[in-house]
Each structure stands twice: as structure tokens, then as C-alpha cells.
Amino acid sequence: MNQALKYDIYQQHCPARLFFEKIADKWVLLIINILSQETQHFNLLKKNIQGISPKVLSQKLKMLERDGFIERRVQNTSPIRVDYSLTLLGIEVAKMAYQLKDWAESNIEQVISAQQRFDATQQQEM
């Protein structure tokens, strides 16, 4: 009987841990969120994700393609254009990424207030 593999992310060598390393990257989350809205080409992605360098965007797109989250399509246009879109696996991840985005935007003021309170008490203790 062939039993399905079971993974435990709390174990040091569990391959599922790699997912957390990748998805915890801010650029990865932003790329996935943008592509969940629509297919985009490289320059549009770069424009929509302020602060990302072309080198980093290229690296993250290759990583996401390798992991099966995005698909790269070369358009036979002049000049040649490359479009990126989410795969079915990427769409599943995008749902979770969107929840994180939504939570962060809704709760960042509470986080900032907590940081300020903490910093104020640290200053008083010095």
C-alpha cells in the first residue's frame, strides 16, 4: 500500500518549509497580488510595484515560474512582449496572499501604535 507523503513544517528538513521562506518575501506577495488581478507584462509589473528593481523582479518571476505559481508567455509582437499570469496553483496562493494584504492594510495603524508605545516605554527605561 502506497501511503501519501505527510509533511511536518516543524521538522528541520521538511521541504514544505521552503514555501514559507518564499511566500514571506514582500516582493513575492506583491507580485502574486498584482497578477491575481490580471495578466501583466514585465514593465507593467515593474511600474505597478513601486521600489522593485528590474533585477529583483526578474529573479522573483523566475522563482515563481519554477515553483509553478506563474506562467510566462512570449507574445510574438514587435517588440517581443512577455506576459505573466497565475497558474491554478498560483491562484490558490493568491487567495491567501490577498488575505494577508487586506489584513495588513486594515491593521497597520494598530501595529504602528503598538510599536510607538513599546518604543516609548523602552526610552523611559533607559
Side-chain angles (χ1 to χ4, degrees):
M1 183 170 147
N2 189 5
Q3 189 172 345
L5 292 176
K6 296 197 180 202
Y7 297 102
D8 181 354
I9 61 168
Y10 298 104
Q11 297 299 312
Q12 181 177 1
H13 300 292
C14 178
R17 277 190 178 190
L18 297 175
F19 172 77
F20 285 103
E21 288 177 21
K22 291 177 182 182
I23 206 67
D25 183 289
K26 70 178 175 184
W27 299 123
V28 168
L29 287 173
L30 293 173
I31 291 167
I32 288 173
N33 274 321
I34 290 283
L35 291 178
S36 71
Q37 298 166 22
E38 65 180 344
T39 296
Q40 295 197 359
H41 59 86
F42 186 88
N43 286 331
L44 188 56
L45 276 168
K46 192 168 89 45
K47 178 183 172 191
N48 287 327
I49 304 173
Q50 295 180 9
I52 193 168
S53 71
K55 179 182 177 184
V56 170
L57 178 57
S58 179
Q59 290 171 340
K60 300 303 177 182
L61 289 169
K62 284 178 184 163
M63 181 195 72
L64 288 166
E65 183 181 9
R66 181 175 183 258
D67 289 346
F69 296 123
I70 66 170
E71 169 174 78
R72 179 181 185 268
R73 286 199 180 118
V74 177
Q75 303 297 327
N76 192 14
T77 58
S78 183
I80 291 177
R81 188 173 103 168
V82 179
D83 288 332
Y84 296 91
S85 60
L86 294 179
T87 61
L88 291 176
L89 188 62
I91 291 169
E92 287 182 41
V93 172
K95 290 175 186 173
M96 291 182 291
Y98 184 80
Q99 289 176 333
L100 287 171
K101 172 201 163 295
D102 194 39
W103 185 92
E105 290 173 345
S106 298
N107 293 285
I108 191 61
E109 288 181 13
Q110 292 178 50
V111 173
I112 292 169
S113 293
Q115 291 171 343
Q116 290 170 343
R117 285 191 305 275
F118 179 86
D119 293 346
T121 59
Q122 292 299 304
Q123 291 294 325
Q124 290 173 359
E125 292 176 8
M126 290 183 154

